Amino acid sequence: VNGGDAVAQEDMATPAPSGMALGVPTVSVSGHGSVNVPPDTASVSIGVDVIKPTLGEAQEQATSQATAIIEALQAAGIAEEDIQTDYFSVNILRDYSENADPTLITGFEIVNQLRVTVRDTDQLGELLDAAVNAGANSIYGVTFYVDDQTEASSDARVEAVEDARTKAEELAAAAGM
């Protein structure tokens, strides 16, 4: 369930087929139930994009910034298991401008993105601020969702059955059943 979206379940209300064999009138309906649940969890990609003349320099700075970001997130209360490497790349940079030598390496770019799960959405702004202060220069993909949908799904199923029962009783009464 994404933030604010409804949890919906549909159930069929159909009497046992044996009733039809005896000539008993039947009504078949479907029910709909939905429950709106505010999001309680967020996920965000936080990382660094570093360009340096040598691979060693790029690696050193990227590692240093990523380590500082992780330490800042953990100091703010994010559990170690809620910080995972999401994307890592090393790109060789070359000069493709006019009259340049494209075989000449001009630098190296390292991109290191972490996927961070935030279990207290009220804390998200502070966490992003702490990450930027620790050296993050790439933040994207903020999504909100409900971590445990079990209770909401159960409530939606109950609503669906109640809806189906009401429809069946209205149709049966209208048909004189």
Side-chain angles (χ1 to χ4, degrees):
V1 172
N2 289 327
D5 288 351
V7 175
Q9 299 289 326
E10 294 202 18
D11 294 313
M12 298 297 291
T14 306
S18 61
M20 282 201 277
L22 302 173
V24 176
T26 61
V27 174
S28 176
V29 296
S30 64
H32 176 78
S34 64
V35 176
N36 288 320
V37 182
D40 60 8
T41 309
S43 178
V44 60
S45 183
I46 300 173
V48 295
D49 187 340
V50 173
I51 296 175
K52 289 291 182 182
T54 69
L55 181 57
E57 289 174 296
Q59 286 176 318
E60 184 178 331
Q61 183 172 340
T63 298
S64 173
Q65 284 180 244
T67 300
I69 294 166
I70 290 168
E71 288 172 354
L73 293 171
Q74 289 177 334
I78 300 296
E80 184 177 345
E81 62 269 14
D82 287 335
I83 304 170
Q84 301 292 321
T85 298
D86 191 35
Y87 178 79
F88 185 89
S89 71
V90 177
N91 301 308
I92 297 173
L93 305 178
R94 300 174 188 273
D95 187 353
Y96 292 106
S97 63
E98 191 175 334
N99 298 323
D101 180 2
T103 62
L104 182 65
I105 295 173
T106 60
F108 294 86
E109 177 186 37
I110 293 182
V111 178
N112 185 1
Q113 290 294 132
L114 305 169
R115 176 59 55 184
V116 181
T117 301
V118 181
R119 301 196 184 276
D120 178 2
T121 56
D122 293 337
Q123 186 185 18
L124 184 59
E126 293 173 28
L127 286 171
L128 295 179
D129 192 44
V132 169
N133 289 334
N137 58 13
S138 174
I139 296 174
Y140 67 92
V142 179
T143 57
F144 293 90
Y145 57 96
V146 175
D147 189 44
D148 183 1
Q149 302 175 26
T150 307
E151 184 179 347
S153 293
S154 179
D155 292 345
R157 281 191 295 274
V158 168
E159 272 193 29
V161 171
E162 289 172 1
D163 181 48
R165 181 176 291 119
T166 300
K167 289 177 184 175
E169 288 170 357
E170 289 171 354
L171 290 172
M177 296 168 57

